[in-house]
């Protein structure tokens, strides 16, 4: 009987503690939210101005600024003219703001797509693009559309 | 009406005695008996859960009952409370009323005047009636908690009287 | 011998005695106890942030995406409380920032970069029920390439 007297208060306390736990834990003081931040392979190109005028009778040159960003691997920029024009156009890159420090020059003379820039993976950069007409052109011919494309090397 | 001896009953000494004794019992019972009692003892209401963007969930208790005696005249029951330093909400309404009409839910607040709880308790000889006490405790988040403010301890008084 | 004229007297006496019994009362104690309650909820358990072409500006290394589609709802009846925020990712690949916008109670702690260390999200929200918008800003550098971070964001009501 003495044992019972000493144990009962402890049992009651333990029971009370167990009864209290659910009330305490029923309260949610923290909440979770799952967030997935996904970054796709992204490539962006911009040319400004978009319509440079090539003065056929004078300097025969025009200038644009080409800027790009790519987070992909082994990317390059190609260039082509559409529609293929009879006039040949030389494209020269200078003032390169990128780790590709080389100045490059390519000639567009037909429908072929030509590599303009290599090694621009996972980076942003810019350069100045110079256009020069390298062959005679028929007067009043339609404008030449230069197409830049970021693609895999 | 006549007795077996042919004398009028209401004119007899026996009739006077019977009627007198009846009213004597009535008077004694009325003067000495408890006309209203609360059955079920004291009540504890514990608010433990709440909804985010809303408020803590109210808690209801229907464990206690009011037992009251009908008399020769129409009566009513009022309710009032004393709860110094009240922080939380408490309401009461009668249900399962066997005699009389339950008043709308009463908000119990400290120092309130007596408010009708059950009205129009009809005439009845020595008969008891009952009603369930429905207590509802409410609290808002802005009203705080008992750990910081202490429990509300209401002394709720029910009074039966002539209507 | 008692006769009928005494009956009205008896009735009157009994009625007086009965009516003078007066109003009777009974009382009991009702205790109202309110536990410490905290509640948190987000309007959606999942957020998808995807940096697409719209978040890329040619020539810029930094690419961003913003999401403000979810909100946080809370309730607490304790004083001196704040809400903190943290991620399960100690070293995410990309930068994720979070900010409370337009809290109905309390003060927004401003934009913080999420990490595995709890940072203040809302301050002084004690004893209130309220809501705010959650604004996430995901940032990636072109040099970080493509990929994804799966965060489990935890909002917590904590002592201030």
């Amino acid at each position: 009987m003495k044992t019972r007297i000493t144990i009962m208060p402890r049992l009651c306390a333990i029971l009370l503690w167990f009864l209290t736990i659910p009330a305490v834990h029923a309260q949610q003081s923290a909440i979770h939210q799952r967030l997935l931040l996904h970054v796709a392979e992204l490539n962006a190109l911009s040319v400004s101005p978009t319509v440079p005028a090539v003065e056929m009778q004078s300097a025969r040159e025009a200038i644009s600024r080409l800027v790009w960003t790519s987070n992909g691997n082994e990317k390059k920029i190609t260039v082509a003219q559409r529609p293929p024009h009879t006039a040949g156009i030389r494209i020269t890159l200078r003032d390169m703001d990128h780790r590709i420090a080389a100045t490059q020059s390519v000639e567009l003379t037909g429908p072929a797509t030509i590599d303009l820039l290599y090694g621009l993976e996972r980076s942003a950069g810019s350069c100045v693009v110079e256009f020069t007409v390298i062959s005679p052109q028929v007067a009043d011919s339609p404008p030449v559309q230069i197409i830049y494309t970021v693609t895999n090397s | 009406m006549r007795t077996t001896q042919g004398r009028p009953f209401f004119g007899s000494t026996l009739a006077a005695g019977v009627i007198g004794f009846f009213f004597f019992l009535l008077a004694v019972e009325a003067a000495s008996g408890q006309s209203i009692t609360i059955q079920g003892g004291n009540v504890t209401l514990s608010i433990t859960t709440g909804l985010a963007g809303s408020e803590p969930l109210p808690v209801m208790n229907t464990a206690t009952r009011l037992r009251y005696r009908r008399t020769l005249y129409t009566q009513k029951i009022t309710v009032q409370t004393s709860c110094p330093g009240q922080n939380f909400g408490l309401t009461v309404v009668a249900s399962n009323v066997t005699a009389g009409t339950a008043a709308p839910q009463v908000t119990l607040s400290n120092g309130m005047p007596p408010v009708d709880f059950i009205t129009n308790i009809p005439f009845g000889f020595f008969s008891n009636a009952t009603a369930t006490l429905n207590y509802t405790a409410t609290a808002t988040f802005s009203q705080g908690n008992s750990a910081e403010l202490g429990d509300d301890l209401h002394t709720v008084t029910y009074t039966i009287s002539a209507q | 011998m008692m006769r009928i004229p005494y009956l009205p007297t008896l009735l009157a006496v009994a009625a007086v005695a009965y009516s003078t019994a007066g109003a009777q009362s009974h009382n009991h104690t009702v205790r109202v106890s309110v536990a410490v309650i905290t509640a948190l909820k987000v309007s959606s358990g999942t957020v998808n942030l995807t940096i697409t072409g719209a978040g890329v500006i040619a020539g810029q290394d930094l690419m961003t995406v913003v999401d403000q589609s979810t909100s946080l709802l809370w309730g607490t009846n304790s004083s001196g409380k704040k809400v903190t925020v943290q991620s399960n990712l100690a070293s995410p690949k990309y930068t994720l920032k979070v900010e409370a916008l337009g809290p109905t109670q309390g003060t927004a702690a401003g934009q913080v970069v999420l990490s595995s260390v709890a940072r203040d999200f809302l301050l002084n929200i004690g004893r209130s029920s309220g809501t705010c918008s959650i604004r996430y800003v995901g940032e990636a550098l072109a040099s970080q390439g493509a990929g994804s971070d799966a965060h489990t964001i935890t909002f917590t009501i904590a002592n201030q």
Side-chain angles (χ1 to χ4, degrees):
Chain A
M1 194 65 186
K2 281 183 179 176
T3 308
R4 191 177 175 186
I5 289 169
T6 53
I7 286 175
M8 279 309 286
R10 286 185 182 180
L11 285 176
C12 289
I14 290 167
L15 188 64
L16 196 65
W17 183 73
F18 269 104
L19 289 172
T20 313
I21 281 177
V24 173
H25 285 251
Q27 299 313 308
Q28 196 160 18
S29 58
I31 191 78
H32 305 291
Q33 187 175 46
R34 297 189 70 82
L35 185 144
L36 180 68
L37 173 57
H38 179 70
V39 182
E41 182 181 296
L42 298 164
N43 303 296
L45 272 175
S46 173
V47 180
S48 177
T50 54
V51 188
V54 178
E55 293 295 333
M56 303 298 294
Q57 304 304 320
S58 56
R60 294 187 174 186
E61 285 185 352
I63 291 176
S64 278
R65 184 161 191 86
L66 175 67
V67 292
W68 67 88
T69 298
S70 174
N71 65 351
N73 293 321
E74 298 182 7
K75 296 296 174 185
K76 65 180 180 182
I77 296 175
T78 62
V79 66
Q81 57 173 339
R82 296 287 184 274
H85 206 275
T86 53
I89 297 174
R90 178 181 297 117
I91 298 175
T92 305
L93 305 180
R94 61 176 173 82
D95 297 341
M96 191 73 69
D97 181 15
H98 192 264
R99 61 175 178 264
I100 314 165
T103 298
Q104 299 183 42
S105 181
V106 296
E107 291 184 1
L108 287 174
T109 53
T113 297
I114 298 172
D115 292 345
L116 185 66
L117 269 173
Y118 292 99
L120 45 94
E121 60 191 36
R122 293 188 180 184
S123 64
S126 67
C127 65
V128 172
V129 183
E130 287 181 355
F131 303 94
T132 308
V133 177
I134 56 174
S135 58
Q137 187 175 5
V138 178
D140 299 329
S141 60
V144 177
Q145 187 177 25
I146 307 295
I147 297 175
Y148 302 88
T149 305
V150 178
T151 186
N152 293 326
S153 291
Chain B
M1 189 176 179
R2 289 182 175 274
T3 62
T4 50
Q5 286 78 25
R7 296 173 61 188
F9 176 78
F10 284 112
S12 70
T13 302
L14 180 62
V18 168
I19 296 170
F21 184 66
F22 171 75
F23 280 103
F24 172 75
L25 285 178
L26 202 63
V28 168
E29 195 264 352
S32 60
Q34 188 68 24
S35 307
I36 186 165
T37 55
I38 298 164
Q39 299 178 321
N42 297 326
V43 171
T44 297
L45 296 117
S46 298
I47 297 174
T48 57
T49 55
L51 297 176
S54 182
E55 296 294 352
L57 297 176
V59 172
M60 183 176 278
N61 181 292
T62 57
T64 53
R65 240 176 22 144
L66 208 55
R67 189 169 185 267
Y68 50 98
R69 189 168 51 216
R70 298 165 65 184
T71 63
L72 292 175
Y73 45 82
T74 306
Q75 298 178 104
K76 69 172 182 179
I77 295 170
T78 59
V79 63
Q80 65 188 122
T81 189
S82 170
C83 180
Q86 181 180 359
N87 293 302
F88 313 116
L90 181 65
T91 63
V92 66
V93 66
S95 66
N96 304 321
V97 179
T98 58
T101 307
Q105 179 174 276
V106 177
T107 299
L108 298 171
S109 54
N110 181 45
M112 65 186 288
V115 175
D116 286 353
F117 185 63
I118 298 173
T119 59
N120 301 315
I121 301 168
F123 163 91
F125 277 112
F126 298 105
S127 61
N128 286 310
T130 57
T132 302
L133 300 175
N134 297 268
Y135 286 105
T136 304
T138 60
T140 62
F141 282 113
S142 62
Q143 286 175 331
N145 62 73
S146 293
E148 294 178 356
L149 306 169
D151 292 345
D152 279 358
L153 204 59
H154 290 259
T155 301
V156 184
T157 304
Y158 295 90
T159 303
I160 189 166
S161 61
Q163 185 167 328
Chain C
M1 291 292 285
M2 188 180 279
R3 304 188 70 84
I4 194 70
Y6 294 98
L7 184 59
T9 307
L10 277 172
L11 286 171
V13 169
V16 167
Y18 192 70
S19 62
T20 52
Q24 287 206 6
S25 298
H26 199 212
N27 63 50
H28 70 159
T29 301
V30 178
R31 180 184 294 270
V32 177
S33 171
V34 180
V36 172
I37 300 172
T38 54
L40 273 173
K41 194 172 103 174
V42 284
S43 59
S44 172
T46 307
V47 174
N48 286 311
L49 271 174
T50 302
I51 296 181
T52 61
V56 183
I57 299 172
Q60 288 190 11
D61 201 25
L62 182 65
M63 302 177 284
T64 61
V65 62
V66 176
D67 180 277
Q68 203 176 310
S69 64
T70 60
S71 55
L72 179 73
L73 300 91
W74 73 87
T76 175
N77 61 1
S78 298
S79 54
K81 294 291 182 183
K82 66 179 179 180
V83 177
T84 62
V85 63
Q86 67 188 104
S87 170
N88 65 323
L89 297 184
S91 302
K93 185 175 183 181
Y94 308 106
T95 302
L96 180 62
K97 298 176 179 176
V98 67
E99 181 182 13
L101 291 182
T104 56
Q105 296 286 336
T107 310
Q111 190 178 69
V112 294
V113 176
L114 274 165
S115 71
S116 56
V117 177
R119 302 288 305 272
D120 288 347
F121 183 70
L122 285 166
L123 299 168
N124 301 314
I125 61 150
R127 287 188 189 171
S128 69
S129 172
T131 180
C132 71
S133 293
I134 305 169
R135 184 174 191 264
Y136 289 107
V137 178
E139 292 182 353
L141 298 173
S143 56
Q144 292 173 314
S148 58
D149 284 334
H151 294 261
T152 298
I153 314 288
T154 303
F155 295 92
T156 307
I157 291 182
N159 290 327
Q160 193 138 320

